[in-house]
Amino acid sequence: MLGVLHARHIYVEKKIEDVKEKGIELEFSPDAKAAFLRFLPLRSMSHIWGLIANMEIPVWLRPSIYKAWARAFHSNLEEAALPLDNYASLREFFIRSLREGSRTVDSDPYSLVSPVDGTILKFGELEGPGAMIEQVKGFSYSASALLGSNTVLPQVVGEDMYSEVSGKKQTDTTSVKKSWWRISLSSPKVHDPLSVRPVKGIFYCVIYLKPGDYHRVHSPVDWNILCRRHFSGHLFPLNERAVRTIRNLYVENERVVLEGQWAEGFMAVAAIGATNIGSIELFIEPELRTNRPIKKWLQSGTSDDRVYEPEGVGMMLKKGEEVAAFNMGSTVVLVFQAPVWKSPGEEGHNNSQFNFCVRKGQRIQMGETLGRWN
């Protein structure tokens, strides 16, 4: 089985690399196979896989199985915190912790770090009504739909955001110019300190975890988690083919959303489950159970919510602190506020103070910098 998986993994990776070398950007293209997935009992299959992953493996057999898995999915076993025969089951092996010193978390207070090991799929700033995140070229989904109807995600409407401020700026600028006019016609042009001022933009980043990646999720910044939402959705796969063939993939799949505040404003981390990865473990809430039968009477998009105590403060997490864990691979989506500079007098001008330090398709490790600001 591992041999077949390994061969398929190499074949898929080769196809993707060939497409990238040709400079072709994959576009959204639904097919019959994607539609057929809706009729498969993916939740039951994932539940069975979960039972298998929790079965205890004989000690003498553990190193052989884990090494075979590592060869198939390119896992680095040298980073494991414990000897291989200490992991009693596949589940323990999948969510293994790292040896101390394996990852360095950027300590710069003006940096946001990757919460996981993975591949950068998409990133950018959310602008305009709807705050849409591109799933793949030709199809986008709403950030609010991903995070839930109860999200406090600020509405991103650029023109309305500055309308009141612009009126005040114009009045102040006029009075400044008049006062200088009375002093001297030859006076130098006055720099208006109100013409450009810092505001908050909304940014996002999508990171895909392969089956061979380190599976724990860490905090990207120092922040307060105010609430948690659990959506019992589908368990479609999250690989490259699924992303370009299934509509609203991240919105339809089972996911856990953590929402709160950090120094620069809004912060949300969405951990999205997939086939065989319905189980998402929260270290900050061990009693949470995912990959359960969906109650038919629940409306689509309904979530199980919890507000962390004390209300308004929630749980405080430091940058790099462990938050959750996946089985195998999955996807994490960050949606957050960060500083930007806006010039209302110049239409379309947006000199972003926050800048991403990554590129699309880049491999990144937990603790490495996603972006910085001044």
Side-chain angles (χ1 to χ4, degrees):
M1 182 188 71
L2 288 173
V4 171
L5 289 172
H6 184 45
R8 182 177 179 276
H9 177 75
I10 294 176
Y11 173 73
V12 172
E13 289 289 318
K14 183 66 167 59
K15 284 182 62 178
I16 295 175
E17 287 300 322
D18 289 344
V19 169
K20 289 180 178 178
E21 288 179 2
K22 294 177 182 178
I24 302 174
E25 186 174 359
L26 298 174
E27 298 185 10
F28 183 74
S29 178
D31 58 14
K33 185 175 180 180
F36 178 69
L37 285 174
R38 295 184 178 274
F39 298 99
L40 294 178
L42 297 178
R43 183 168 295 279
S44 298
M45 292 165 59
S46 298
H47 186 66
I48 293 172
W49 170 251
L51 295 175
I52 295 173
N54 278 295
M55 292 175 58
E56 186 171 347
I57 301 172
V59 176
W60 61 270
L61 193 56
R62 294 172 188 173
S64 299
I65 291 179
Y66 301 151
K67 288 178 181 178
W69 180 272
R71 284 195 298 271
F73 295 103
H74 308 292
S75 298
N76 186 357
L77 297 182
E78 294 181 358
E79 295 179 339
L82 302 173
L84 294 182
D85 53 14
N86 282 29
Y87 300 108
S89 64
L90 284 171
R91 174 189 161 279
E92 289 187 11
F93 173 70
F94 292 149
I95 64 171
R96 65 191 180 277
S97 58
L98 295 177
R99 181 181 299 172
E100 188 175 353
S102 298
R103 298 289 183 275
T104 301
V105 179
D106 188 346
S107 60
D108 184 354
Y110 299 106
S111 70
L112 181 144
V113 303
S114 174
V116 293
D117 284 13
T119 303
I120 304 294
L121 296 186
K122 298 285 181 180
F123 63 90
E125 184 176 2
L126 299 178
E127 297 180 306
M132 305 297 287
I133 299 176
E134 186 181 52
Q135 177 175 309
V136 70
K137 185 179 180 181
F139 187 83
S140 301
Y141 57 94
S142 165
S144 295
L146 173 73
L147 303 180
S149 59
N150 295 329
T151 181
V152 296
L153 175 68
Q155 296 300 311
V156 186
V157 184
E159 294 180 358
D160 294 340
M161 188 182 297
Y162 312 112
S163 58
E164 295 182 5
V165 178
S166 296
K168 182 179 184 301
K169 290 176 185 177
Q170 290 173 1
T171 302
D172 293 343
T173 303
T174 303
S175 63
V176 172
K177 287 181 178 178
K178 285 182 179 179
S179 64
W180 276 89
W181 174 269
R182 287 175 182 150
I183 294 172
S184 173
L185 291 172
S186 61
S187 298
K189 185 177 180 181
V190 180
H191 172 68
D192 180 8
L194 295 175
S195 63
V196 180
R197 67 172 50 186
V199 294
K200 303 294 184 182
I202 306 292
F203 297 84
Y204 72 94
C205 185
V206 184
I207 308 174
Y208 171 62
L209 289 75
K210 296 181 180 179
D213 285 329
Y214 170 59
H215 298 116
R216 298 200 176 197
V217 183
H218 296 246
S219 175
V221 290
D222 297 343
W223 65 310
N224 291 53
I225 302 178
L226 302 179
C227 66
R228 178 268 300 157
R229 299 187 191 93
H230 171 223
F231 298 83
S232 295
H234 295 283
L235 288 174
F236 295 127
L238 292 176
N239 54 31
E240 176 273 331
R241 181 185 178 90
V243 169
R244 63 180 171 85
T245 58
I246 301 177
R247 295 180 183 275
N248 293 312
L249 177 61
Y250 302 136
V251 174
E252 290 205 30
N253 266 22
E254 179 160 5
R255 62 197 183 278
V256 173
V257 175
L258 299 176
E259 190 172 291
Q261 292 284 322
W262 68 307
E264 302 300 331
F266 177 84
M267 169 66 70
V269 178
I272 303 171
T275 308
N276 296 334
I277 320 161
S279 178
I280 303 170
E281 300 182 32
L282 276 186
F283 298 137
I284 61 174
E285 189 183 341
E287 62 273 20
L288 177 66
R289 294 290 179 268
T290 60
N291 192 13
R292 300 299 183 189
I294 301 176
K295 295 180 176 62
K296 298 297 183 181
W297 51 268
L298 283 177
Q299 295 182 357
S300 176
T302 302
S303 62
D304 168 44
D305 297 2
R306 175 178 175 180
V307 177
Y308 292 123
E309 299 293 340
E311 190 170 350
V313 177
M315 293 188 177
M316 299 180 64
L317 288 181
K318 294 294 184 182
K319 183 191 290 187
E321 192 171 343
E322 291 183 350
V323 180
F326 291 114
N327 289 325
M328 295 185 68
S330 193
T331 296
V332 167
V333 181
L334 298 179
V335 181
F336 57 94
Q337 278 186 303
V340 296
W341 287 99
K342 297 281 186 178
S343 296
E346 300 179 30
E347 185 176 354
H349 177 72
N350 179 0
N351 182 20
S352 175
Q353 191 181 11
F354 175 85
N355 292 294
F356 282 100
C357 304
V358 293
R359 65 182 185 279
K360 184 179 175 182
Q362 176 184 331
R363 292 283 301 159
I364 194 168
Q365 290 187 332
M366 188 283 295
E368 293 182 339
T369 306
L370 281 178
R372 295 184 187 277
W373 66 99
N374 297 322

